[in-house]
Amino acid sequence: MSHTASLAAAFAPYEALAEQLLPHAVSGNDGSHDAAHLIRVWKNALRIHGSEGGDLRIIAAAVLLHDCVSVEKNSPHRAQASRLAAERAFELLDEHGWRTAEITAVAHAILTHSFSANVPPESLEAKILQDADRLDAIGMIGAARCFYIAGRMGSGLYDPLDPLAVDRPLDDKAYAIDHFETKLFKLTDGFQTAAGRALARQRQERLRAVLGMLIEEI
């Protein structure tokens, strides 16, 4: 079995769709937006879908292609990433013979999933993708991804003189743990579905525990 086919098996019951789309699903070398991220987002989406419903095929395609265009976090074009990914997804699904209405639904979900884009999701499928993707930004995985991205961007872990920014402005470009306050702890308030909100509360507690343990050790 090929590597792509092995990865595709994680997207059951849409293994065939995953095998088609995975070669186009990840661009660049960002380990926080790789195949492992897609699989985690799919698992999150399945859990939310189990409570909320929605068209699972649309959700699967949106999960697989939501990061198909890579734009670095520190790029001035970061806010355009989801629009570019939605446009690329439209092209790919059109090539695979999807109906226009289905492609439009997938593209909308991809466009609106991004925090940076600041476009509200209107369909249930779009809300599920946004929640599933944001769940991967909090909790233990969220902390790991935060530190990984900080390393890619050349940031420090924390300010040695004032790690919790008591007497200085928060600066998540300079210090990784500042990102917890500037963005990650705020994500929970914006979840779109009841199931997503419940999962987010659990992961928020884990994220606060990670920060608390880190502070204890420094």
Side-chain angles (χ1 to χ4, degrees), residues 34 63 135 179 205:
D34 55 4
V63 168
L135 281 171
H179 195 59
E205 291 176 5

Side-chain angles (χ1 to χ4, degrees), residues 17-38:
L17 176 64
E19 195 161 2
Q20 283 182 338
L21 298 182
L22 276 170
H24 311 283
V26 177
S27 64
N29 64 346
D30 182 353
S32 66
H33 295 91
D34 55 4
H37 168 67
L38 297 181

